Amino acid sequence: MANYSDLGDIFLVAPVAFGVVSALRKFLDLPHRLPRWNRWLTWIWVPGGLLYLGARVLNIQSSTLDEAYWLLVLAGVMAVLVAVRDYRPARSLLLAMGPLALYWLIEYLLELPTGKVPKQYDSALDTTQVFVSIWLITFIIIARSQKKTLEKERVLREEEEKAKRLIEAQNAQLEHLVNERTAALTHQAEELRAALTELKTTQAQLIQSEKMASLGELTAGIAHEIQNPLNFVNNFAEVSTELVTELEEERDKPDRDLELEADLLADLKQNLQKIHQHGGRAASIVRGMLEHSRQSSGERTPTDLNALADEYLRLAYHGLRAKDKSFNATLKPDFDPNLPPVEVIAQDLGRVLLNLLTNAFYAVKQRQQRGEPGYAPTVSVSTRRVGDAVELRVQDNGTGMPESVKAKIFQPFFTTKPTGEGTGLGLSLSYDIVTQGHGGTLVVESREGEGTEFVISLPA
């Protein structure tokens, strides 16, 4: 403190204090942190000037006023540091100024009585002054280091904020683009949905058309197949009427022949049994037609595959004969008598059999029309148990298929028949019914010019 007093004139102390305070204001960034305090500190030279004028007018020794002014400046600086103590460099400067302020206060108090420090305190004060100076310089360096670190952090934060704002702007732009793209995709999705709905409607119409075509084949077959039991019923009914007439005539005779009456009654009973038998056959054919034509319930029931295959073999054959009376073929059923009932959807599997058999008869008819000598159209249906599965085979000795056709045979809308004779959905629907509806397999084996065999495998 004495070295500052040696300036000898407070007129020189005020500019020095102003410079120190200005450096502090800049170091602590007071214009932004404490704007009001910053304005007040710009007038820190005013008290020094007033003290200088007072010393001149009153002829007072300037050294005492110098010390008082420095204490005032120091108090102002300490107050500012306390006000911005949340700022780490400010806390470091506060720690740096603490010992200096205490040292100046003690020295000032010791000088008050005589204006000089007693000699017995010189050594202690000199040692203390060295310690205070080292302490002050050390914490000033620390404060400067902290300020640089905080400045780097501030610059880094600003860069991060700038990058964040840039990312937000890019995100906003991307979001705008995404919204535009989403709107376009939504519009396309709506168009595709409408197209899909129209496609499903068309597909349903084609499937219904295919079902009606198979129903037409079935109806034609039934019309021929049902004719046989109806003829039997009519014939036996006519014979039964004649037997009843003979029985009535015999009963009216005075001399009745009981043995003849017994024979007539036995013949009548046998005829009624035949009528019942063929009537049941006709009823089963009609029932099969109704089951085939109605919507499938989707419920699996134990089904005799031998009876189902035999029935549709004959119906498919008679269906083709209804269109062409000249067509004849050999039917070869080969059924496993020990085949147990299999859980299937009878209506759906009946459609599959009808489709495969209709194609088989169509193939042998096409080969027959070529006029090959010695050719005999033959279609066979067989069943057998193979491990945990049941196999149902439909085989013909028709035209067969080349490999290029066989690779596409189960594709929707693929057909080798002329326009108007097939939709190309029969085998595709049959494949779906067997594989998806029953968990089985449907494969085809064929050689061109030799024949074709379809193999249905179902879980037993």
Side-chain angles (χ1 to χ4, degrees):
M1 182 131 180
N3 54 350
Y4 292 115
S5 301
D6 291 341
L7 291 173
D9 197 341
I10 199 170
F11 182 74
L12 298 176
V13 174
V16 174
F18 181 77
V20 172
V21 171
S22 296
L24 182 67
R25 287 163 52 202
K26 182 178 179 180
F27 182 80
L28 297 178
D29 195 18
L30 292 183
H32 294 93
R33 296 181 183 279
L34 295 174
R36 183 177 299 178
W37 286 67
N38 182 68
R39 289 194 299 270
W40 291 348
L41 289 176
T42 57
W43 302 95
I44 193 67
W45 57 271
V46 173
L50 294 176
L51 290 175
Y52 170 75
L53 293 176
R56 290 296 184 186
V57 172
L58 300 176
N59 196 21
I60 301 175
Q61 186 178 0
S62 62
S63 60
T64 304
L65 295 178
D66 291 347
E67 294 173 358
Y69 177 66
W70 275 114
L71 287 175
L72 177 63
V73 171
L74 186 59
V77 169
M78 296 288 286
V80 169
L81 294 176
V82 172
V84 292
R85 60 185 177 276
D86 292 336
Y87 185 47
R88 279 187 296 172
R91 291 198 298 271
S92 298
L93 289 179
L94 190 61
L95 289 173
M97 300 297 291
L100 179 63
L102 182 62
Y103 171 78
W104 278 359
L105 180 61
I106 293 172
E107 186 180 28
Y108 180 74
L109 293 176
L110 290 175
E111 288 179 351
L112 275 180
T114 61
K116 294 183 180 180
V117 177
K119 291 185 179 181
Q120 62 267 31
Y121 298 111
D122 284 346
S123 177
L125 288 176
D126 290 341
T127 303
T128 303
Q129 187 176 20
V130 172
F131 170 76
V132 167
S133 299
I134 295 174
W135 178 277
L136 179 64
I137 293 171
T138 301
F139 274 90
I140 288 176
I141 294 173
I142 293 174
R144 285 173 58 85
S145 177
Q146 290 175 340
K147 181 177 176 61
K148 290 181 180 179
T149 302
L150 291 175
E151 187 65 21
K152 290 180 181 179
E153 293 176 356
R154 183 187 63 80
V155 172
L156 182 61
R157 284 196 304 271
E158 289 179 353
E159 291 178 353
E160 290 177 351
E161 288 294 329
K162 184 178 179 180
K164 184 179 179 182
R165 287 193 297 269
L166 180 61
I167 292 173
E168 289 176 352
Q170 292 176 345
N171 288 341
Q173 184 178 4
L174 288 175
E175 185 175 358
H176 178 68
L177 293 175
V178 167
N179 290 335
E180 289 183 350
R181 186 59 177 166
T182 301
L185 290 175
T186 302
H187 180 67
Q188 292 177 0
E190 291 175 354
E191 291 180 347
L192 289 174
R193 193 177 295 111
L196 180 60
T197 302
E198 184 178 356
L199 180 61
K200 286 183 177 179
T201 303
T202 305
Q203 184 182 25
Q205 293 173 350
L206 288 172
I207 292 173
Q208 185 64 26
S209 174
E210 178 68 24
K211 288 182 178 179
M212 293 304 295
S214 67
L215 182 59
E217 298 282 350
L218 179 66
T219 304
I222 286 174
H224 280 68
E225 181 74 7
I226 204 172
Q227 192 66 43
N228 289 331
L230 288 178
N231 288 336
F232 280 112
V233 169
N234 292 332
N235 291 336
F236 283 117
E238 185 178 351
V239 172
S240 297
T241 303
E242 294 175 358
L243 290 175
V244 171
T245 302
E246 290 181 16
L247 184 59
E248 289 176 346
E249 290 176 354
E250 186 65 30
R251 290 180 62 183
D252 291 339
K253 292 180 180 180
D255 187 12
R256 296 170 59 183
D257 187 347
L258 297 179
E259 185 176 352
L260 178 59
E261 289 182 7
D263 290 339
L264 291 173
L265 288 172
D267 290 341
L268 180 60
K269 182 178 180 181
Q270 185 178 4
N271 286 350
L272 292 175
Q273 289 175 347
K274 293 291 184 180
I275 290 173
H276 181 269
Q277 176 184 350
H278 291 287
R281 171 60 182 160
S284 69
I285 294 172
V286 173
R287 184 168 57 253
M289 181 185 69
L290 293 175
E291 289 179 352
H292 183 87
S293 61
R294 72 166 58 101
Q295 182 69 26
S296 172
S297 64
E299 295 182 2
R300 300 187 186 187
T301 55
T303 304
D304 184 354
L305 291 187
N306 292 339
L308 188 70
D310 184 64
E311 180 178 359
Y312 278 94
L313 172 64
R314 301 184 186 282
L315 291 177
Y317 175 57
H318 289 297
L320 188 56
R321 278 182 53 82
K323 297 178 181 179
D324 185 0
K325 301 291 184 181
S326 64
F327 174 72
N328 287 289
T330 302
L331 308 184
K332 287 187 176 181
D334 180 17
F335 301 131
D336 183 356
N338 299 320
L339 193 70
V342 180
E343 295 276 345
V344 297
I345 305 172
Q347 300 98 314
D348 291 349
L349 192 59
R351 290 192 179 98
V352 173
L353 287 171
L354 183 62
N355 183 269
L356 297 180
L357 290 165
T358 300
N359 288 340
F361 284 116
Y362 180 86
V364 297
K365 180 184 176 183
Q366 293 297 310
R367 184 174 179 183
Q368 184 186 46
Q369 290 175 348
R370 296 177 181 176
E372 297 181 17
Y375 173 69
T378 304
V379 174
S380 63
V381 180
S382 62
T383 59
R384 62 175 179 170
R385 179 73 177 265
V386 182
D388 294 333
V390 173
E391 278 190 358
L392 201 159
R393 294 174 176 262
V394 177
Q395 187 176 14
D396 66 74
N397 63 343
T399 56
M401 293 180 289
E403 289 295 326
S404 58
V405 173
K406 190 169 69 173
K408 303 177 183 177
I409 197 67
F410 295 120
Q411 292 181 5
F413 308 111
F414 177 79
T415 180
T416 58
K417 295 179 181 178
T419 304
E421 294 190 21
T423 62
L425 283 173
L427 287 176
S428 174
L429 292 175
S430 299
Y431 185 83
D432 290 341
I433 289 172
V434 173
T435 58
Q436 298 180 16
H438 291 82
T441 60
L442 175 58
V443 296
V444 59
E445 299 173 3
S446 181
R447 290 186 179 181
E448 190 174 7
E450 296 183 11
T452 302
E453 182 179 32
F454 285 92
V455 182
I456 301 173
S457 179
L458 300 171

